[in-house]
Amino acid sequence: MNAITKAALIFNAVKIPCEFFMKLCDSYSPDELFTHESILQELGLSEQQQSRIKSLMTKDSWAEHELERIENFNARFIHAKDLDYPAKLRDLTHPPVGLYVKGNANIIMPSVAVVGTRKPSDYGRVTANHLGRELAKRGVITISGGARGIDAQGHRGTLAENGITIAVFGTSIDKIYPAEHRDLFNQILYRGAIISEYPMNASGEAWRFPERNRIIAAMSSAIVIVESPEGGGALNTAEHGFKLHREVYAVPGLITNNNCKGSNRLISRGAKILASIDEFVNEFALKPEQLSLGFDDSTDGHEEEKANESIELENDEKIIYSLIQTHNEITADKLADEAHLDILTVQSALFSLMSEGLIHENTGRYSVSV
């Protein structure tokens, strides 16, 4: 195990702010952490923080055993210095030092959080499921917390349309909570990922769920509160969204329904009204603000054409583009079959090709742009 990963596992486990881990990596050699205890003081850590780190460093090769537990679970640990650490998390005041990941959580496409109460009305369940379905059709990743109710319906709707979805746990990734969602989480792993900032074997203590909500908000480009009572956990996710300058939406509900009082109140606080799923999905998917087309806004049409002509494609993108040229109007699943690629790789290539203006999508079928 390299020293950076070992330091990240320890700093993350004892909840040392990420800024100190970054300072360790940028201003010192992480190896020194395990040979010169004075570095802890030099980093500016409090005595309590230093004590917590020293305790874990002396705990019978804890980091080595933790990495073994991760690998035995077919998962991985990514830290803030890794290239595949989700860039959006850096918007947080206190991002996690690292994430435990099972599946593929590399977000390069637009992403929307779909969250709400664990005890929704039939209207809330149908709305969350339909929203997940429509987002999937447009290649938008759905992020939620894997909880009962709205969260689960958002995940299930996305999966029903072969979309990509990510569940952010309030437990460790090896703790299935709630237990009845085991099959759902297995399906999510096939299409996306489960992630957590908590060490292996961490139980679902009450404080962890609101804490993980900041990750749901940060990893999302927009947040939709489908249905939430006053004081509901989804409102905490919305608060993080406001602070992070994410687009926060609320589905309007009956003013006589307690399940809707919190989400309705969000509208008076500045949340946008999600009055039409089709309009929301179309507007959002056509304007993925986290992605760039690679063109300067000041270029004229001729310069843009030259930019298109000089586009360099990755191998997977070349394969997908060639197949679309051959077939025209072909689905993502068919492309995956013919290219012998996993669906996540195909969807990533499709989004890149659409971003470059080389292809377009209509009702789930892809064609070469004229």
Side-chain angles (χ1 to χ4, degrees), residues 45-73:
L45 294 171
S46 68
E47 290 187 5
Q48 184 181 35
Q49 290 171 327
Q50 293 181 49
S51 176
R52 283 154 52 195
I53 290 176
K54 290 175 184 178
S55 175
L56 206 53
M57 285 172 58
T58 57
K59 187 181 176 181
D60 190 27
S61 302
W62 178 87
E64 287 78 6
H65 290 313
E66 180 73 350
L67 186 60
E68 184 179 352
R69 287 187 284 268
I70 295 168
E71 292 173 346
N72 288 340
F73 195 62

Side-chain angles (χ1 to χ4, degrees), residues 22 141 177 213 231 253 268 302 361:
M22 299 298 282
I141 297 172
Y177 182 83
N213 289 343
S268 67
H302 295 295
E361 180 267 350

Side-chain angles (χ1 to χ4, degrees), residues 113-133 144 147-157 224-229 234 250-254 257-261 263-264 274 277:
V114 179
V115 294
T117 179
R118 287 172 169 79
K119 299 178 180 180
S121 64
D122 289 341
Y123 165 71
R125 279 190 289 271
V126 170
T127 300
N129 190 282
H130 184 47
L131 181 57
R133 286 173 178 269
S144 198
R148 299 180 181 97
I150 296 299
D151 288 20
Q153 288 303 320
H155 289 307
R156 289 191 173 107
V224 179
I225 314 300
V226 176
E227 212 174 56
S228 176
V251 176
L254 294 172
N257 185 342
N258 286 333
N259 265 351
C260 302
K261 287 187 175 180
S263 39
N264 283 343
L274 200 161
I277 289 179

Side-chain angles (χ1 to χ4, degrees), residues 78-309:
I78 57 177
H79 55 72
K81 295 295 286 185
D82 282 327
L83 292 177
D84 51 355
Y85 182 87
K88 292 177 182 177
L89 290 181
R90 303 187 194 282
D91 293 340
L92 287 166
T93 302
H94 297 294
V97 170
L99 290 175
Y100 292 72
V101 179
K102 187 167 186 177
N104 194 326
N106 184 22
I107 295 183
I108 59 173
M109 293 178 283
S111 51
V112 169
V114 179
V115 294
T117 179
R118 287 172 169 79
K119 299 178 180 180
S121 64
D122 289 341
Y123 165 71
R125 279 190 289 271
V126 170
T127 300
N129 190 282
H130 184 47
L131 181 57
R133 286 173 178 269
E134 294 306 310
L135 289 168
K137 289 177 184 177
R138 296 303 299 268
V140 180
I141 297 172
T142 301
I143 300 177
S144 198
R148 299 180 181 97
I150 296 299
D151 288 20
Q153 288 303 320
H155 289 307
R156 289 191 173 107
T158 303
L159 293 168
E161 296 293 339
N162 294 319
I164 300 171
T165 187
I166 294 173
V168 184
F169 278 15
T171 63
S172 57
I173 58 174
D174 60 334
K175 292 287 186 180
I176 302 300
Y177 182 83
E180 65 265 28
H181 283 182
R182 182 177 298 276
D183 288 343
L184 172 62
F185 295 144
N186 285 335
Q187 293 175 51
I188 288 173
L189 287 173
Y190 181 71
R191 303 295 307 176
I194 57 175
I195 68 174
S196 173
E197 65 181 306
Y198 303 115
M200 302 296 281
N201 202 38
S203 59
E205 296 183 49
W207 58 268
R208 288 194 167 118
F209 293 94
E211 184 179 63
R212 68 87 193 268
N213 289 343
R214 79 192 196 287
I215 296 178
I216 294 176
M219 291 183 68
S220 305
S221 302
I223 300 157
V224 179
I225 314 300
V226 176
E227 212 174 56
S228 176
E230 292 184 306
L235 301 186
N236 177 257
T237 306
E239 288 297 328
H240 287 296
F242 285 130
K243 292 177 183 177
L244 292 165
H245 304 292
R246 301 295 193 255
E247 294 188 44
V248 178
Y249 291 79
V251 176
L254 294 172
I255 61 174
T256 55
N257 185 342
N258 286 333
N259 265 351
C260 302
K261 287 187 175 180
S263 39
N264 283 343
R265 195 175 297 280
L266 277 177
I267 295 171
S268 67
R269 295 195 50 232
K272 296 182 179 180
I273 299 174
L274 200 161
S276 165
I277 289 179
D278 288 339
E279 288 179 6
F280 166 74
V281 172
N282 288 337
E283 180 182 356
F284 177 78
L286 290 174
K287 297 193 302 182
E289 72 278 7
Q290 299 295 327
L291 299 169
S292 169
L293 299 183
F295 301 130
D296 189 323
D297 290 338
S298 63
T299 60
D300 61 23
H302 295 295
E303 290 173 324
E304 187 167 312
E305 288 175 5
K306 291 178 182 177
N308 264 316
E309 291 173 0

